[in-house]
Amino acid sequence: MDEGLPKLWIIREALELRRRRPDLFGPAGAYRPLRASGEKKERVVAFQRGEGAATVAQRFTTNSEGFEKTFLELPAGRWTDVLSGEETEGGILSVSSLLSRFPAALLEKKEAEDGGDISLGS
């Protein structure tokens, strides 16, 4: 496979998210770092954009092996990885589970029917 194709695909998906949710990428969509903890925390880059998007990527590797003891706290709510289609609840998650299908995750927080964020539990 051409090495550039996965990068182009990620860009395409990110631009599609931006098209659907422009509020996350405008002036109110400030960046906020999400700090990893655990054994390989220095090999994880993660940030939240606004209150409804988050990006997680690993550094220096192309597979998620060895990240079982590395964790990331994702804000409360139900999140969908735009790249894999997998859904997850916010909280403390292993980086290995977030990156089990692809070495990066582009997470979108689900919105409630009334326009607010969906958050399960309290």
Side-chain angles (χ1 to χ4, degrees), residues 27-114:
Y31 285 95
R32 184 175 59 139
L34 297 173
R35 304 214 188 281
S37 61
E39 286 184 0
K40 296 189 177 183
K41 66 183 180 183
E42 72 284 348
R43 293 178 55 191
V44 177
V45 176
F47 61 90
Q48 187 174 344
R49 185 74 194 249
E51 295 299 317
T55 301
V56 182
Q58 52 193 3
R59 300 173 61 211
F60 312 122
T61 186
T62 58
N63 64 53
S64 62
E65 291 178 20
F67 283 91
E68 293 81 9
K69 294 181 182 178
T70 304
F71 303 93
L72 188 71
E73 186 169 359
L74 195 60
R78 180 169 291 253
W79 296 80
T80 299
D81 184 350
V82 174
L83 303 177
S84 71
E86 289 188 13
E87 292 190 2
T88 190
E89 288 296 318
I92 298 174
L93 307 166
S94 79
V95 172
S96 179
S97 69
L98 286 170
L99 305 179
S100 64
R101 291 184 164 205
F102 199 70
L106 177 58
L107 302 162
E108 177 183 13
K109 191 172 187 180
K110 292 233 178 190
E111 292 184 297
E113 296 298 318
D114 64 3

